[in-house]
Amino acid sequence: MDFYLSAIALALATSMMAWGVYLSVRIFNLPDITTDGSFTLSAAITAVVLMAGNPWYIAVVAGIAGGVLAGMITAFIHAWLGVNALLSGILVMTALYSVNLTVMGRSNIPLLETDNIFTAIEFTTNVYLNYFFVVLLIATIVFLLMRWFLLTDFGLALRATGQSEKMVSTMGISVNRMKLAGLGIANGLTAFSASLITQMQQFADINMGIGIVIFGLGAVMIGESLQKLSGQNGIGFQLLMVLIGCLLFRLIMAFTLASGVDPNLMKLFNATVVLVFVSLPVIRKKLLAR
């Protein structure tokens, strides 16, 4: 029971990263690979700040700031220097590997003796149940804030930028500034997720962000499949479906591990799951055409 409870708590913590991927991929139509690097950057900063004896909220804010900065650098390279969006993300992600190693000073930082958000906020003495309640509260607050934000004038401008840059330009809105803000927010959400997961797992590792964008894309694709089946299209419903996609994806992974599958094959399994959901619309269309 604790195994699946921790998997659900981990999925809720990862939902912020999935919402960040949703913003970059679906709102801005930008394949942002910075996620892999900004995730580890936030984990590294969080671990270093906690090891220095600072309170958890300082570590979280510092981690988020690192992620926002990474996203804004990618946006700057893409928007102001004219580099392809995918290549911009790859360049920043590659550079961040060295930055992350420099920040950490080593490849792994254990946090077993440090206080964190989960020791500061205790709803119950059961560790895994407490993880669940804390991240559920945080995920709910972030969900409500994101829903509100994307319905504000600024949020609508961000969404309009992804739909038609020319239309936004004619309205006097700076497309480059929108991209700067959008990728900054997206990677800030990723960084928030990484900070929570670092404190939950009580360690930071240089490789913990590798392939994390695949998980985010998988959650988005599962959420979109569920959304199409329901016929609903509101922004709040889309965000909720991404969250449910996170839960389903993580539970599938947990069930697979519990079934005895070699953990070394999990990255292959993740990629396969994403491939299945990406190809479902095409397969469905071909089947209906027959």
Side-chain angles (χ1 to χ4, degrees):
M1 181 62 183
D2 286 343
F3 176 73
Y4 287 103
L5 192 60
S6 64
I8 293 172
L10 196 58
L12 290 170
T14 314
S15 63
M16 272 72 82
M17 180 274 300
W19 284 327
V21 172
Y22 167 80
L23 280 179
S24 60
V25 174
R26 284 294 173 255
I27 299 295
F28 275 94
N29 296 314
L30 293 175
D32 184 23
I33 311 298
T34 315
T35 301
D36 281 14
S38 61
F39 189 92
T40 308
L41 176 63
S42 175
I45 293 173
T46 298
V48 169
V49 172
L50 288 175
M51 285 291 290
N54 295 291
W56 64 267
Y57 49 86
I58 299 295
V60 171
V61 171
I64 292 174
V68 170
L69 180 60
M72 292 177 74
I73 290 173
T74 299
F76 177 81
I77 294 172
H78 167 58
W80 273 273
L81 302 183
V83 179
N84 176 272
L86 181 60
L87 179 57
S88 299
I90 292 173
L91 288 172
V92 175
M93 179 192 70
T94 304
L96 281 176
Y97 188 85
S98 296
V99 173
N100 295 337
L101 270 177
T102 302
V103 170
M104 295 175 68
R106 45 182 165 161
S107 60
N108 187 285
I109 299 179
L111 299 170
L112 296 176
E113 302 300 324
T114 59
D115 292 328
N116 56 57
I117 186 173
F118 300 103
T119 57
I121 304 174
E122 277 193 294
F123 290 105
T124 174
T125 54
N126 184 302
V127 175
Y128 300 105
L129 196 58
N130 192 60
Y131 287 165
F132 170 75
F133 283 133
V134 172
V135 292
L136 177 62
L137 175 63
I138 294 172
T140 301
I141 293 171
V142 173
F143 168 79
L144 293 173
L145 287 174
M146 278 197 65
R147 183 181 178 278
W148 167 80
F149 170 72
L150 290 174
L151 292 175
T152 62
D153 290 342
F154 188 77
L156 291 172
L158 285 176
R159 293 160 63 187
T161 302
Q163 293 296 319
S164 175
E165 292 184 9
K166 289 183 179 179
M167 180 191 72
V168 169
S169 296
T170 59
M171 296 172 64
I173 299 173
S174 173
V175 173
N176 290 350
R177 289 179 181 176
M178 287 294 106
K179 289 182 178 180
L180 194 72
L183 290 186
I185 293 169
N187 283 277
L189 287 167
T190 294
F192 190 15
S193 175
S195 184
L196 290 176
I197 291 173
T198 299
Q199 294 178 71
M200 185 184 299
Q201 296 181 339
Q202 294 187 307
F203 72 88
D205 188 86
I206 191 63
N207 295 315
M208 66 189 297
I210 294 178
I212 196 69
V213 69
I214 296 296
F215 183 92
L217 284 171
V220 171
M221 297 310 300
I222 293 173
E224 285 188 346
S225 299
L226 295 173
Q227 178 196 335
K228 289 176 181 177
L229 289 174
S230 67
Q232 301 293 321
N233 199 38
I235 190 67
F237 190 78
Q238 291 179 31
L239 294 173
L240 180 60
M241 289 301 101
V242 172
L243 173 59
I244 293 176
C246 256
L247 290 169
L248 290 176
F249 201 170
R250 185 64 70 177
L251 286 173
I252 290 171
M253 291 172 59
F255 179 77
T256 304
L257 283 171
S259 300
V261 174
D262 187 349
N264 293 328
L265 300 177
M266 287 308 298
K267 296 295 184 183
L268 174 62
F269 174 77
N270 291 349
T272 304
V273 171
V274 174
L275 176 61
V276 169
F277 279 95
V278 168
S279 59
L280 273 180
V282 177
I283 295 173
R284 183 185 177 191
K285 187 180 293 184
K286 288 184 177 180
L287 291 174
L288 292 175
R290 290 184 178 179

